[in-house]
Amino acid sequence: MPLGERYGGDKSESRYCGIETEFDDDMPNLLSYNVHGGFDFVLATLMDPKYRPSLVDIDTSRSTALPFAGSDLVLSPSQWSSHVVGKISSWIDLDSEDEILRQDSEITLKQEIAWASHLSLQACILPTPKGSSCANYARCLNQILQNLGGMQLWLRIPMVKPEDGIEAGNPEYMREGDVDSWELWNSFRLLCEHHSQLSVAIDIWSSVPSAASVARWYGEPVRAAIINTNSFLTNAKGYPCLSKRHQRLITAFFDHSVQVVISGQPVHKVPVATSASNVDTQNEVGGWRHPLKAYLDYVAFLYQKMDPLPEQERFELGYRDYLQSPLQPLMDNLEAQTYEIFEKDTVKYSQYQRAVAKALVDRVPDEDASRVTTVLMVVGAGRGPLVRASLQAAEETERKLKVYAVEKNPNAVVTLHSLVKLEGWEQTVTIISSDMRDWDAPEKADILVSELLGSFGDNELSPECLDGAQRFLKEDGISIPSSYTSFIQPVTACKLYNDIKSHKDLVHFETPYVVKLHRVARLANTQPVFTFTHPEHSDKPSNQRYKKLQFDIPEDTGATLIHGFAGYFDATLYKDVHLGIEPSTATPNMFSWFPIFFPLRAPVYVKPGTPLEVHFWRCCGSTKVWYEWSVTAPSASPLHNTNGRSYWVGL
Amino acid sequence: MPLGERYGGDKSESRYCGIETEFDDDMPNLLSYNVHGGFDFVLATLMDPKYRPSLVDIDTSRSTALPFAGSDLVLSPSQWSSHVVGKISSWIDLDSEDEILRQDSEITLKQEIAWASHLSLQACILPTPKGSSCANYARCLNQILQNLGGMQLWLRIPMVKPEDGIEAGNPEYMREGDVDSWELWNSFRLLCEHHSQLSVAIDIWSSVPSAASVARWYGEPVRAAIINTNSFLTNAKGYPCLSKRHQRLITAFFDHSVQVVISGQPVHKVPVATSASNVDTQNEVGGWRHPLKAYLDYVAFLYQKMDPLPEQERFELGYRDYLQSPLQPLMDNLEAQTYEIFEKDTVKYSQYQRAVAKALVDRVPDEDASRVTTVLMVVGAGRGPLVRASLQAAEETERKLKVYAVEKNPNAVVTLHSLVKLEGWEQTVTIISSDMRDWDAPEKADILVSELLGSFGDNELSPECLDGAQRFLKEDGISIPSSYTSFIQPVTACKLYNDIKSHKDLVHFETPYVVKLHRVARLANTQPVFTFTHPEHSDKPSNQRYKKLQFDIPEDTGATLIHGFAGYFDATLYKDVHLGIEPSTATPNMFSWFPIFFPLRAPVYVKPGTPLEVHFWRCCGSTKVWYEWSVTAPSASPLHNTNGRSYWVGL
């Protein structure tokens, strides 16, 4: 039964908890024992561990069946697929020096996976590579992956990183060289070309590596976290519990849809329940408790005590890691529905209202308030939210205001007209149905208000639009926003990379996407990229930009793989009033913008202590604006999106 | 006029020698002066070096032309294209911190290349990147390369490598950090994705780096070697000459179709010619000599004194770096023409004759020679060359021989029959028209002779065929060959990589090619891969193989880029008689096999001192045999040719 429910209709896969079992050829009993004990699924060895292909007498082999645990008929198809994860024989070692062992391993691996496919299991768990080399294992698995139906393969990887000092959580996995286990996974998946059916099951030991090192896994396809009973501490009452570090890790994994699996023998003597009230009748029939129930209860407790998901996060659940093409609001007209959604972002408009209010007060001293009328133009008025915010700012500051609402979308202009009529703004607001770049204004503005920003700031061509509108701003006039800056940071984002790769073309690898980033590892702090300031009074103004950045990934992170760059923006609306999604300064509770993601055609492997050098260009042609990007260190990548061949924003 | 002729019909591009000139807006005069002086082409600056776009008054710019050196009409189209290489303004610096200079550089670069394209020049030479960073230069050039017609762009790169100690051959190119200039080129071309129109012009300074470091350039698209007059020494008679190291370099470049360009001012006072006999009337009209004629003469002298190309090399000229798919002699029947070519390889057959002779003598002592008849089977007899070699060996050793000639190609069997009749071998030779794997032999053989080897030894399925034939070899019988081993070494091979890339698919990157390797850099000694021994008496014989290799590229090479692996074989025919193409032990004057080339889908960058770890597999299925390969260090590549999806040899 699931660990709990964090919110109404919690569908997270991490609600399910499994148990690792030993080989048992009475599969129905094995399953019912553990399901009745409270676990949702079992990791079950499929083949008798004594079997070795090379020990089989060739002459008799044709008349005997392979020693699998029961036939497919002992469980129903849905029992197999919902409650059993196949565990591939742990003795296999495809990179052994012993050729017989290597060949036995290859044959067995293929036999067991074929059997698991026959059973329609959802997943199989593959033993950890025995040495630091895994090329033959990967070669064999990659062959299998090419014709694998729908099954997932979870490669079992211990979470170890040598600098952190390995404590013998599980000596079975100790191996020579003590490599950073992420490196092992990384080699494996690079050899298998990020195959989407290859994922990770992490073994969690009694020591957990540094936070930066652990965070790498949040960008990887981790499906299960296996906790050995040895890794549990004992609380004052004698019950198993986990260290704070483990708790943070498991909580983060829960948040990333990772399922927990309990493994090992009971090592805590749990006190017997003294009152009938805390006996769960379903799981403890006749007072029976599963020997690992105390560990399961603790994991359920961790699941249930997590902070509830904020409303906004719940609203955005369906958008997590879902790639969207950025809007082209200049070329295309937005739909009513899109306006509807954006207008609901009250935080954003209250920031605009604060900015306009401050600008009005700066522009007109109190003593002139009743005499002077400020001319404010909203360029890109849409269906009017900024008109409303401006009028409210005027009311709040008791300044007189004349508003021009300029909008190029004729459909939005219809709404604007009825809004003005409905609110009785006819004396104050003039509606202009025109592109701001073409409009011949009858007078000049004191304040120019716009909301033309994309997730990467300038990516919806705010600079070009405001350059066009600047003609009708007074020499000393104010633009709100007065400036904006884009930011990037390198990320591991296996899921996004695979989604892009599935298109099998260049275009998708040279397109930035708007995406609610979730299963990503943010590997370094953001750095600013391009800044635009309005009004722009320079001599030969250009909206072309070039920025070279160097990211130093913290050394304790270990080696990393960069799939691309997460992009954000921050805008100064007016003086200290800002608005943005750059993580360290993000405006709270604002939902109008998801981050942007710039992919890399080939992921870049970065060793610890090696700087990552990145270049971003904003290029402008006569009909379009586009970005190009590339990496030059640790080694050079191809230039992305040359001449805007794959992605551009139309002028 | 060309430097000379190394052999009849020498068409090598390296026969042409150019001269670097200063800006001169009298282009016809500039050209005729230098052509009459003996040079074949000029590197000519196209734009007045004083011009800067940012200094042009925008208002007047529309009415004035750009300050190019003459219009297109001052020379004929063929003069422009045959005799002028455009020299892009050397002041441009696209990676300057100075934004104005960067923008000026970008505008000028685009204007000049557009002009050169208008003139249909064959090539332009681009100034060396000024700093160690070149990303913006590469970005701009990559934009240009996307729409460039047929012109080549030669990026000018000095041949410098810091450990070798830079001597100030040309202080113009000295720059901070003193990077290995190959690294600069490598970044540039990786950013431009190995664009086939981007190549290199190398500046040769007075000091030449180590041989290993220089050799990297033989795998790169070097079009010109520019030698400054300062780099010449002075011989006893006062004439310019080059150091031995320079001579070796230039000779190697000549051999790789690299053209020499002389640059700089005359710095040698050449004695006046004393007799009319050594005055070249065409170039020295009225006693006039081009001031740089002595340098040109020395370069021509180097060209002419090169060793003449051996006949075999001349025969193979047309095959250099031309990728061929390996033969499938088991699935396909060879054509008469193919037999014809292979039979001409007398060296190969005399090695076989030696091997058979030794085997005969070992098998039959002199005292039994007249009594004992040895049964020899030629499996894969083709049109009979091995039958002939075997009979000659019998004659030479005075042993009695009975020959079975087994051949599966019915067309070749026709030839065999007429050969036997023609030579009167009817009593000795029995022709069997059958696949050796199916033949039911009437008796067992003492000696089994075959020539089933491919460039990579086992790649034409010799192991599988001989396993099939082993049934009819006596327990103590001899197989000729008795064993064979494949070898590989990592190479830089820009030309091959680009040829493969031009197919724009995966299949071509996962296919090994037979190719006469020429423009390649061999970066480490070969290492053995797979060995097969015949007859094979092991218990459970398998022709599957797995080999993991580590290559240590000599540190003084510097960083390298690996495009793939050159493959070879060596076969032991019998005892000390061997046959092979592995470079260090290759059988001289044998032409039946070119090397094989295993490409890498993504070139692998290897830093000095970093080992390169490579894995090769020979996989066997029921209907086919194939190789898979991958790199795991310095970082993991994808597995190539999984399940033989792109390349296989049919059984």
Side-chain angles (χ1 to χ4, degrees):
Chain A
M1 56 179 295
L3 298 173
E5 190 173 89
R6 294 183 62 202
Y7 49 87
D10 181 354
K11 291 269 177 280
S12 168
E13 292 208 349
S14 50
R15 287 176 307 145
Y16 301 112
C17 185
I19 179 167
E20 179 172 17
T21 65
E22 295 301 310
F23 177 74
D24 185 340
D25 63 7
D26 185 353
M27 188 64 85
N29 180 51
L30 180 79
L31 184 60
S32 75
Y33 174 83
N34 287 296
V35 167
H36 287 122
F39 291 94
D40 297 296
F41 63 96
V42 294
L43 298 195
T45 306
L46 298 174
M47 176 93 84
D48 188 333
K50 292 192 295 291
Y51 166 76
R52 294 289 181 285
S54 60
L55 300 179
V56 175
D57 183 348
I58 291 170
D59 294 333
T60 63
S61 67
R62 291 192 187 178
S63 57
T64 56
L66 289 168
F68 285 121
S71 90
D72 46 346
L73 299 176
V74 301
L75 297 179
S76 72
S78 74
Q79 279 178 312
W80 279 118
S81 70
S82 310
H83 297 298
V84 180
V85 169
K87 203 175 137 193
I88 303 301
S89 290
S90 59
W91 58 264
I92 71 167
D93 182 2
L94 280 133
D95 290 275
S96 168
E97 296 291 319
D98 175 351
E99 197 177 327
I100 302 291
L101 175 52
R102 237 167 41 217
Q103 287 170 359
D104 274 354
S105 300
E106 181 164 349
I107 294 168
T108 304
L109 179 61
K110 287 182 175 171
Q111 286 171 340
E112 296 187 23
I113 289 180
W115 175 246
S117 296
H118 176 68
L119 299 173
S120 296
L121 300 192
Q122 282 190 41
C124 277
I125 186 164
L126 302 161
T128 309
K130 298 282 187 289
S132 59
S133 179
C134 65
N136 195 45
Y137 194 172
R139 190 266 313 162
C140 184
L141 206 65
N142 197 44
Q143 289 184 341
I144 293 167
L145 283 164
Q146 306 308 308
N147 304 296
L148 184 66
M151 194 163 64
Q152 284 282 329
L153 299 181
W154 299 351
L155 185 65
R156 189 167 186 160
I157 300 280
M159 188 181 273
V160 213
K161 199 171 153 280
E163 297 96 308
D164 302 279
I166 302 176
E167 291 165 38
N170 191 336
E172 186 187 336
Y173 299 126
M174 294 296 281
R175 68 199 116 69
E176 291 165 38
D178 283 343
V179 294
D180 174 1
S181 62
W182 179 90
E183 297 260 22
L184 195 60
W185 158 246
N186 187 49
S187 292
F188 212 101
R189 65 93 171 274
L190 287 176
L191 286 162
C192 296
E193 275 189 272
H194 280 75
H195 198 286
S196 61
Q197 285 165 269
L198 178 65
S199 43
V200 185
I202 290 246
D203 264 305
I204 296 176
W205 290 6
S206 50
S207 114
V208 172
S210 75
S213 150
V214 162
R216 291 178 298 177
W217 292 102
Y218 304 149
E220 304 288 359
V222 180
R223 304 286 172 226
I226 305 167
I227 318 176
N228 195 284
T229 49
N230 286 321
S231 299
F232 283 82
L233 308 175
T234 310
N235 74 5
K237 293 179 179 168
Y239 283 89
C241 64
L242 288 169
S243 75
K244 287 279 173 208
R245 223 169 177 178
H246 281 82
Q247 291 181 38
R248 277 193 297 272
L249 173 63
I250 298 299
T251 304
F253 272 154
F254 280 147
D255 194 39
H256 285 80
S257 304
V258 176
Q259 306 180 330
V260 167
V261 174
I262 307 289
S263 166
Q265 299 302 315
V267 290
H268 293 75
K269 288 196 179 144
V270 179
V272 174
T274 47
S275 102
S277 67
N278 57 9
V279 173
D280 181 322
T281 48
Q282 192 191 340
N283 294 334
E284 301 178 31
V285 182
W288 176 78
R289 279 173 68 96
H290 191 291
L292 298 184
K293 183 68 164 65
Y295 303 93
L296 173 62
D297 287 346
Y298 182 76
V299 170
F301 159 75
L302 284 185
Y303 189 82
Q304 290 160 17
K305 84 162 191 179
M306 282 196 292
D307 292 334
L309 216 55
E311 192 187 332
Q312 188 183 332
E313 281 290 321
R314 265 160 62 190
F315 169 74
E316 291 169 359
L317 267 178
Y319 293 97
R320 281 182 177 178
D321 300 316
Y322 173 77
L323 298 167
Q324 297 173 269
S325 292
L327 290 174
Q328 288 254 10
L330 204 53
M331 276 171 65
D332 307 334
N333 284 322
L334 298 186
E335 294 167 10
Q337 216 182 338
T338 313
Y339 286 119
E340 184 80 23
I341 292 167
F342 287 138
E343 286 168 15
K344 284 193 179 142
D345 196 341
T346 53
V347 173
K348 179 172 84 174
Y349 294 110
S350 76
Q351 289 299 86
Y352 267 96
Q353 186 179 329
R354 283 182 57 208
V356 173
K358 287 203 176 192
L360 283 173
V361 169
D362 277 2
R363 203 132 180 108
V364 182
D366 281 345
E367 55 273 27
D368 295 339
S370 59
R371 199 173 46 79
V372 177
T373 298
T374 302
V375 177
L376 181 146
M377 292 175 180
V378 177
V379 288
R383 305 198 311 180
L386 286 181
V387 173
R388 184 186 301 275
S390 301
L391 291 172
Q392 284 170 350
E395 200 180 313
E396 169 197 336
T397 57
E398 298 180 329
R399 289 333 188 241
K400 295 179 73 172
L401 200 63
K402 178 174 182 186
V403 175
Y404 289 91
V406 185
E407 175 54 46
K408 73 162 179 58
N409 179 355
N411 309 312
V413 167
V414 174
T415 323
L416 268 180
H417 272 287
S418 51
L419 178 75
V420 166
K421 206 169 159 192
L422 193 73
E423 298 281 358
W425 292 342
E426 290 92 339
Q427 299 310 309
T428 328
V429 178
T430 309
I431 298 169
I432 309 292
S433 181
S434 168
D435 188 315
M436 72 184 85
R437 292 170 296 175
D438 308 325
W439 180 45
D440 193 12
E443 62 181 316
K444 291 208 168 187
D446 297 283
I447 302 175
L448 199 63
V449 183
S450 65
E451 51 163 337
L452 304 164
L453 299 172
S455 299
F456 201 52
D458 59 81
N459 62 308
E460 293 182 8
L461 307 194
S462 179
E464 284 70 18
C465 292
L466 294 183
D467 283 354
Q470 193 174 315
R471 294 171 290 121
F472 43 82
L473 180 63
K474 288 180 183 165
E475 191 68 23
D476 66 344
I478 293 166
S479 169
I480 294 175
S482 61
S483 76
Y484 36 88
T485 299
S486 48
F487 294 82
I488 59 164
Q489 72 185 156
V491 294
T492 301
C494 216
K495 198 266 181 191
L496 302 183
Y497 176 79
N498 265 341
D499 285 354
I500 295 168
K501 185 163 71 83
S502 69
H503 292 282
K504 297 181 179 175
D505 64 17
L506 179 64
V507 170
H508 285 83
F509 270 117
E510 298 193 331
T511 300
Y513 299 89
V514 167
V515 54
K516 167 73 183 169
L517 297 173
H518 186 68
R519 298 192 75 141
V520 300
R522 293 172 170 86
L523 299 167
N525 289 334
T526 67
Q527 291 192 42
V529 189
F530 307 134
T531 296
F532 289 87
T533 305
H534 299 284
E536 174 55 74
H537 293 302
S538 87
D539 224 20
K540 289 186 179 179
S542 163
N543 293 325
Q544 307 223 53
R545 292 288 187 280
Y546 167 44
K547 187 76 171 203
K548 172 175 161 182
L549 294 170
Q550 182 177 309
F551 288 96
D552 295 302
I553 296 169
E555 285 226 27
D556 69 336
T557 309
T560 56
L561 195 72
I562 317 292
H563 291 106
F565 299 90
Y568 315 94
F569 80 94
D570 188 75
T572 299
L573 293 181
Y574 183 67
K575 291 191 170 167
D576 64 335
V577 184
H578 88 107
L579 191 80
I581 59 169
E582 192 282 314
S584 66
T585 59
T587 311
N589 301 316
M590 195 175 63
F591 60 80
S592 292
W593 294 275
F594 287 149
I596 203 163
F597 176 66
F598 288 88
L600 286 172
R601 290 166 53 182
V604 173
Y605 171 71
V606 183
K607 287 206 167 131
T610 312
L612 173 71
E613 198 177 83
V614 191
H615 304 257
F616 267 77
W617 291 268
R618 189 181 197 269
C619 304
C620 305
S622 56
T623 59
K624 64 181 189 179
V625 172
W626 69 95
Y627 302 104
E628 300 189 16
W629 60 100
S630 70
V631 166
T632 51
S635 64
S637 75
L639 281 152
H640 286 66
N641 196 32
T642 295
N643 288 327
R645 65 184 164 199
S646 299
Y647 163 82
W648 74 94
V649 192
L651 277 167
Chain B
M1 55 178 295
L3 297 174
E5 190 174 86
R6 293 183 62 201
Y7 49 87
D10 181 355
K11 291 269 179 280
S12 168
E13 292 209 348
S14 50
R15 289 176 305 146
Y16 301 111
C17 186
I19 179 168
E20 179 171 15
T21 64
E22 295 300 309
F23 178 74
D24 185 342
D25 63 6
D26 185 353
M27 187 65 83
N29 180 51
L30 180 79
L31 184 60
S32 75
Y33 174 83
N34 287 297
V35 167
H36 286 120
F39 291 93
D40 298 296
F41 63 95
V42 295
L43 297 195
T45 305
L46 297 173
M47 175 92 84
D48 188 333
K50 293 192 295 292
Y51 166 76
R52 293 290 181 284
S54 61
L55 301 178
V56 175
D57 183 348
I58 291 169
D59 294 334
T60 63
S61 66
R62 291 189 187 181
S63 57
T64 56
L66 289 168
F68 286 120
S71 90
D72 46 348
L73 299 175
V74 300
L75 295 180
S76 73
S78 75
Q79 281 179 310
W80 280 118
S81 69
S82 310
H83 298 297
V84 180
V85 169
K87 202 176 137 193
I88 302 301
S89 291
S90 59
W91 59 263
I92 70 165
D93 182 2
L94 279 132
D95 290 275
S96 167
E97 296 291 317
D98 175 350
E99 195 176 329
I100 302 291
L101 174 54
R102 240 171 33 221
Q103 287 170 0
D104 273 354
S105 299
E106 180 163 349
I107 294 167
T108 304
L109 179 61
K110 288 181 174 170
Q111 285 170 341
E112 295 186 24
I113 289 180
W115 175 245
S117 296
H118 176 70
L119 298 173
S120 296
L121 300 192
Q122 281 190 42
C124 277
I125 186 164
L126 303 161
T128 307
K130 299 283 187 291
S132 60
S133 179
C134 64
N136 195 44
Y137 194 171
R139 190 266 314 163
C140 184
L141 205 65
N142 196 45
Q143 289 183 342
I144 292 167
L145 282 164
Q146 306 308 308
N147 304 296
L148 182 65
M151 194 162 65
Q152 284 283 330
L153 300 181
W154 299 351
L155 185 66
R156 190 167 186 159
I157 300 282
M159 188 181 273
V160 213
K161 198 170 152 283
E163 298 94 307
D164 301 281
I166 303 175
E167 290 165 39
N170 192 336
E172 185 187 336
Y173 299 127
M174 295 294 282
R175 67 200 116 69
E176 290 165 39
D178 283 343
V179 293
D180 173 1
S181 62
W182 179 90
E183 296 260 22
L184 195 61
W185 158 247
N186 188 50
S187 292
F188 211 101
R189 65 92 172 272
L190 287 176
L191 286 162
C192 296
E193 275 188 271
H194 280 74
H195 198 287
S196 61
Q197 284 165 270
L198 178 65
S199 42
V200 185
I202 290 247
D203 264 304
I204 296 175
W205 291 5
S206 50
S207 113
V208 172
S210 76
S213 148
V214 162
R216 291 179 297 177
W217 292 103
Y218 304 149
E220 303 288 358
V222 180
R223 305 284 173 227
I226 305 168
I227 317 176
N228 197 285
T229 49
N230 286 321
S231 300
F232 283 82
L233 307 174
T234 310
N235 74 5
K237 293 181 178 167
Y239 284 90
C241 65
L242 288 169
S243 77
K244 287 279 175 210
R245 223 171 177 175
H246 280 83
Q247 290 181 39
R248 276 193 297 272
L249 174 65
I250 298 299
T251 303
F253 272 154
F254 279 147
D255 193 38
H256 284 81
S257 305
V258 176
Q259 306 181 329
V260 167
V261 174
I262 308 287
S263 165
Q265 300 302 317
V267 290
H268 292 74
K269 287 198 177 143
V270 178
V272 175
T274 47
S275 103
S277 68
N278 57 9
V279 172
D280 181 324
T281 47
Q282 191 190 342
N283 295 333
E284 301 180 29
V285 181
W288 176 78
R289 277 173 68 94
H290 190 290
L292 298 185
K293 182 68 163 66
Y295 303 93
L296 173 62
D297 287 345
Y298 182 77
V299 171
F301 160 74
L302 284 186
Y303 188 82
Q304 290 159 16
K305 84 161 189 175
M306 280 195 294
D307 291 334
L309 218 51
E311 193 188 332
Q312 187 183 335
E313 282 289 319
R314 262 159 65 191
F315 169 74
E316 291 169 358
L317 268 177
Y319 293 96
R320 282 183 176 177
D321 300 316
Y322 173 76
L323 298 168
Q324 297 173 269
S325 293
L327 291 174
Q328 289 253 10
L330 204 52
M331 275 171 65
D332 308 334
N333 284 322
L334 299 185
E335 295 167 11
Q337 215 181 339
T338 313
Y339 286 117
E340 185 80 24
I341 292 167
F342 287 138
E343 287 166 15
K344 285 193 177 140
D345 197 341
T346 53
V347 173
K348 181 172 82 173
Y349 295 108
S350 75
Q351 290 298 87
Y352 267 96
Q353 186 178 331
R354 285 182 56 209
V356 173
K358 289 203 174 192
L360 283 174
V361 169
D362 278 0
R363 204 133 180 108
V364 182
D366 282 344
E367 54 273 26
D368 296 339
S370 58
R371 197 175 46 80
V372 176
T373 300
T374 302
V375 177
L376 181 147
M377 292 176 181
V378 177
V379 287
R383 305 198 311 181
L386 286 182
V387 173
R388 184 187 301 277
S390 301
L391 292 172
Q392 284 171 351
E395 199 180 314
E396 170 196 337
T397 57
E398 299 181 328
R399 290 327 189 248
K400 295 179 73 173
L401 199 63
K402 178 174 183 187
V403 174
Y404 289 91
V406 186
E407 175 54 46
K408 72 162 181 59
N409 180 356
N411 310 311
V413 167
V414 174
T415 322
L416 269 180
H417 273 286
S418 51
L419 177 74
V420 166
K421 205 170 160 189
L422 193 74
E423 299 280 359
W425 292 341
E426 289 93 339
Q427 298 311 307
T428 327
V429 177
T430 310
I431 298 168
I432 309 292
S433 181
S434 168
D435 187 313
M436 71 184 85
R437 292 170 295 175
D438 307 326
W439 182 44
D440 193 11
E443 60 181 318
K444 291 207 168 187
D446 297 283
I447 302 175
L448 198 65
V449 183
S450 65
E451 52 164 338
L452 304 164
L453 299 171
S455 300
F456 200 53
D458 59 81
N459 63 307
E460 294 183 8
L461 307 195
S462 179
E464 284 71 17
C465 293
L466 293 183
D467 283 354
Q470 193 173 317
R471 292 174 290 122
F472 43 83
L473 180 64
K474 288 180 184 166
E475 189 68 20
D476 65 344
I478 293 166
S479 169
I480 293 175
S482 62
S483 76
Y484 35 88
T485 299
S486 48
F487 293 83
I488 59 164
Q489 72 185 157
V491 295
T492 301
C494 217
K495 197 267 183 191
L496 302 183
Y497 176 79
N498 265 341
D499 285 354
I500 295 167
K501 184 163 72 86
S502 70
H503 292 282
K504 297 182 180 173
D505 62 19
L506 178 64
V507 170
H508 284 83
F509 270 117
E510 297 193 332
T511 300
Y513 300 89
V514 166
V515 54
K516 168 73 183 168
L517 297 173
H518 186 68
R519 296 192 77 139
V520 299
R522 294 172 170 85
L523 300 167
N525 289 336
T526 67
Q527 291 191 43
V529 189
F530 307 133
T531 296
F532 289 86
T533 306
H534 299 286
E536 174 55 74
H537 293 301
S538 88
D539 223 22
K540 287 187 181 180
S542 163
N543 293 324
Q544 306 223 55
R545 292 288 187 279
Y546 167 43
K547 187 77 170 200
K548 172 174 159 183
L549 294 169
Q550 182 177 310
F551 289 96
D552 295 302
I553 295 168
E555 284 227 28
D556 68 335
T557 310
T560 56
L561 195 72
I562 317 292
H563 290 106
F565 299 89
Y568 316 94
F569 81 95
D570 188 75
T572 299
L573 292 183
Y574 183 68
K575 292 191 169 168
D576 64 333
V577 185
H578 86 109
L579 191 81
I581 58 169
E582 192 283 313
S584 66
T585 59
T587 311
N589 301 316
M590 196 176 61
F591 60 80
S592 291
W593 293 275
F594 288 149
I596 203 163
F597 176 66
F598 288 88
L600 286 172
R601 289 165 55 181
V604 172
Y605 171 72
V606 182
K607 288 205 167 132
T610 312
L612 173 71
E613 197 177 82
V614 191
H615 305 256
F616 267 76
W617 290 266
R618 188 180 196 269
C619 304
C620 304
S622 56
T623 60
K624 64 181 190 179
V625 173
W626 70 96
Y627 302 104
E628 301 190 15
W629 61 99
S630 71
V631 166
T632 51
S635 64
S637 75
L639 280 152
H640 288 65
N641 196 33
T642 295
N643 289 327
R645 64 183 165 202
S646 298
Y647 163 82
W648 74 95
V649 191
L651 277 167

